[in-house]
Amino acid sequence: MDFGTFLVQCLNSVQYGLLLFLVASGLTLIFGIMGVINLAHGSFYMIGAYLAFSLAPLFGDQFLLMLVAGVVLAAIFGYLLEWAFFSYLYQRDHLQQVLMTYGLILVFEELRSILVGNDVHGVKVPAWLDGSFALGNVMSYPWYRLFASAACIVLAVGLYWVVNRTRLGMMIRAGASNRDMVRGLGIDVKRLYRIVFAAGVALAALAGMIAAPMSSVYPNMGASVLIICFVLVVIGGIGSITGALLASLLVGFVDTFGKVFFADLSGIGIYLLMAIVLIWKPEGLMGRRS
Amino acid sequence: MTTIRNARLALTAIAFAALASAAGAQGTGKLKVGLMLPYSGTYTALGVAIENGFKLYVDEQGGKLSGREIEYFKVDDESDPAKATDNVNKLIKRDNVDVIVGTVHSGVAMAMAKAAKESGTVLIVPNAGADAVTGPMCAPNIFRSSFSNWQPAYAMGEVAAKQQGKKKAMTITWKYAAGDESVNGFKEGFEKNGGKVDKQLTLAFPNVEFQALLTEIAAAKPDAVYAFFAGGGAVKFVKDYQAAGLNKTIPLYGPGFLTDGTLDAQGESAQGMLTTLHYADGLNTARDNAFRVAYAKSFKLQPDVYAVQGYDAAQMLGVGLAAAKGDIGKKAEFTAAIEKAKIDSPRGTFTMSKSHNPVQDIYLRKVDGKENKLVSTAIKGLADPARGCRM
């Protein structure tokens, strides 16, 4: 492998990893803070992709505007969903959460089938991001993928800043460790949870929207990403955003280079990685011992 | 005491009489055909096309095969191998069907073949290409009206090396049985004719993140790439291949599944691609034209390869039944007739191999607009090697 190819594969790895992080961060936020095992999280990613497919014709080349509109819609959807279903789940045990959220997957898939059908769709890359960035003869890389990576980096930094540096983040972190204490301080925990949940849904949907022009929009796309996200959360350590980021990048590299160098093992690369990490650190890379 | 004995005798006699009349009725009553096809999920359209094709042939015969009316029993196979055994047993044990027709998904078809082998029920596979169905799993009562994964792949390998003069190729597919069988078939055909497959790329099913592998192809610069994907994955791969600019320098080949039923979505990116399959658009034979008109009239739809395979499944059943005089219980006659038959298919006539897979022409097709236009016959009368079949 020459240097240019190696560089491009590194970019591929980072881009894939960052996209996974965007989905996994919402999952880990909802699990880490509210303690809900949300199997339906992959569906939010799928809903995002179908949102992009439905909205793209309306917005034309106003891709950024479309992302904003999609995020707003997804957040409203998440807020309502929390109010209607998830708010009842916090005090339940994990088995009930798994059953309920699995049921939601079936409902979402059926609704998707009724509303947009079972076909595979493509979403056009906006004209201003079409084409490739060339670095002499060394390498060339699609602009859209660079944009996707940049967008994910901005979001990751933003998320880190919100959780670790703001008043809202402080309330979130406090609410995660001691719900009653936070309520005692006069903070509306119910509303706080609702906002966090809406944010988690919006993040997954945004990832779906960004992914849509790169990976086509198809039924069951949520299920495949969900499995990888759970692997990420386990590798990174449950509830840790930094852990999820580290794990995402690691999985991005292992999956990309695994596909290229060990084609026959391509399906199990990330699970091998998970096994190795768990043997070495059973609580995950950034997990706390409990 | 004698009255009791007489009563028992009488009852036994009545029971035997009932059995005898039931057995007699089997030869003349309705023939129970179990359709186990995908009626939900991604493959729904394929299942519907197969059923349409099957019913079209039966309707052309006046709704009867060898004088027996056909009664249909339908089960959704759900394209789920985990549920396949239960689903096929609904037809075999609950509905007592005489023959099963199904299905699309190879994993499900394997479970059906196993159940058919155990129960002795006749099975006609109208799509699933798993080599094993007419390989290690073969049985006297199992037939296929479609293809084995090996067939179109081997033909493409020969075309790529012989006609197109390619020396170095790479293959890419999902890491699962159908993908492995297809790329191995290509490799066999390509290397037998002087080519060399350098590298075989795979990714987990149904992953569609192709970017890393496309980067690898661009760096290795082979003379040609052979890809096996179907459905959504096929759409995505062909589009990505073009987006990466590879189609300008490295031709992309594949079996027909890469461009069949996916051309609408692939649009510009698939134009000019060469693929191989046992059916093509514009065969323009009297047989095919008549079939296409009849199908379009009955269902207000254009037929596709799946409809042809369903149609031929019914033809094969018809041939077997005719020899057995309508009694599917006469297994030896039924099987021998299909083995000897020349099926007058819209794809062109075909016969059966010893392992019950069609010995058929494989066509080379080129994507032109929204059609897979016939270019030439890649290989005439290609038989599956049926490795592992002992029958």
Side-chain angles (χ1 to χ4, degrees), chain A residues 1-2 5 8-9 12 15-16 118 120 122 141-142 145 214-216 218-220 224 255-256 259-260 263-264 266-267, chain B residues 41-42 44 175 199-204 206-213 215-216 219 231-232 235-236 239-240 265:
Chain A
M1 184 184 274
D2 62 67
T5 317
V8 174
Q9 294 293 24
N12 286 334
Q15 182 266 316
Y16 183 51
N118 292 321
V120 178
Y141 198 71
R145 283 179 187 266
M214 296 186 288
S215 90
S216 49
Y218 56 101
N220 301 322
S224 41
D255 190 70
T256 300
K259 262 185 214 161
V260 174
D264 288 340
S266 65
Chain B
T42 320
T44 311
K175 185 83 202 147
K199 197 163 182 188
Q200 302 196 285
L201 302 171
T202 57
L203 70 171
N207 193 332
V208 288
E209 182 56 45
F210 299 119
Q211 189 61 23
L213 297 177
T215 303
E216 193 58 19
V235 173
K236 169 83 172 25
K239 285 184 120 177
D240 280 9

Side-chain angles (χ1 to χ4, degrees), chain B residues 156 160 166 168-173 183 186 190 197 199 201 213-214 216-218 220-229 237 241 246-247 249-255 258 273-275:
Chain B
M156 192 71 241
K166 305 295 177 196
K168 261 175 52 181
M170 273 168 108
T171 65
I172 176 168
T173 186
V183 296
F186 174 82
F190 192 62
V197 172
K199 197 163 182 188
L201 302 171
L213 297 177
L214 292 174
E216 193 58 19
I217 292 171
K221 298 191 183 69
D223 299 333
V225 170
Y226 176 86
F228 175 89
F229 295 104
F237 183 76
Y241 197 81
L246 289 171
N247 60 340
T249 48
I250 309 168
L252 177 61
Y253 301 136
L258 202 57
M273 266 181 63
L274 294 177
T275 59

Side-chain angles (χ1 to χ4, degrees), chain B residues 37 149 257:
Chain B
L37 294 167
N149 285 326
F257 316 105

Side-chain angles (χ1 to χ4, degrees), chain A residues 243-257:
Chain A
L245 179 60
L246 266 179
S248 302
L249 291 173
L250 210 53
V251 164
F253 271 91
V254 167
D255 190 70
T256 300
F257 282 89

